[in-house]
């Protein structure tokens, strides 16, 4: 998904376990309201601690991930061949043809 920039149909995302539920567009607001109501009536302190625990477990390497992305972008931007191909193709409304360097 990230490498090919392809969209995934909702049913397929559900099948793969990327989402827990899929709703028709005309039912989405009502379903969101149900979740919000459930959370709003729940134990606020426990929900806050759960949220903090999830964030601590999953975001511990955020700074390192951002630094890796920054370094990768810098390498690409510093390469005259690579950095010019994408924007040029975009301006010319054609697919970019990249040559590994």
């Amino acid at each position: 998904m990230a490498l090919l920039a392809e969209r995934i149909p909702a049913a397929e995302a559900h099948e793969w376990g990327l989402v827990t539920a899929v709703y028709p567009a005309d039912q989405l607001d009502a379903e969101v309201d149900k979740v919000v109501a459930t959370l709003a009536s729940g134990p606020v302190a426990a929900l806050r601690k759960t949220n903090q625990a999830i964030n601590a477990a999953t975001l511990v390497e955020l700074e390192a991930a951002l630094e890796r992305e920054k370094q990768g972008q810098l390498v690409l931007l510093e390469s005259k061949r690579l950095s010019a191909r994408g924007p040029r193709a975009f301006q010319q409304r054609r697919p970019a043809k990249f040559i590994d360097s």
Side-chain angles (χ1 to χ4, degrees):
M1 294 176 300
L3 295 176
L4 300 176
E6 293 177 0
R7 297 183 77 142
I8 298 173
E12 203 168 334
H14 185 255
E15 181 182 318
W16 294 355
L18 298 175
V19 296
T20 57
V22 175
Y23 300 101
D26 63 336
Q27 295 176 18
L28 183 60
D29 287 342
E31 294 300 326
V32 168
D33 289 344
K34 287 179 189 176
V35 172
V36 169
T38 299
L39 291 173
S41 66
V44 175
L47 292 171
R48 183 180 299 113
K49 289 296 181 186
T50 300
N51 186 46
Q52 290 170 348
I54 290 169
N55 286 341
T58 58
L59 299 178
V60 289
E61 294 193 32
L62 178 60
E63 292 301 321
L66 291 173
E67 183 61 27
R68 280 191 300 273
E69 183 163 344
K70 174 184 164 186
Q71 292 304 318
Q73 292 290 332
L74 287 173
V75 167
L76 294 174
L77 290 171
E78 289 171 359
S79 167
K80 291 180 182 173
R81 284 180 63 199
L82 290 177
S83 64
R85 290 180 183 275
R88 190 177 314 122
F90 180 78
Q91 289 171 339
Q92 296 171 352
R93 299 178 189 263
R94 63 171 174 77
K97 295 179 183 174
F98 296 98
I99 301 171
D100 199 7
S101 63

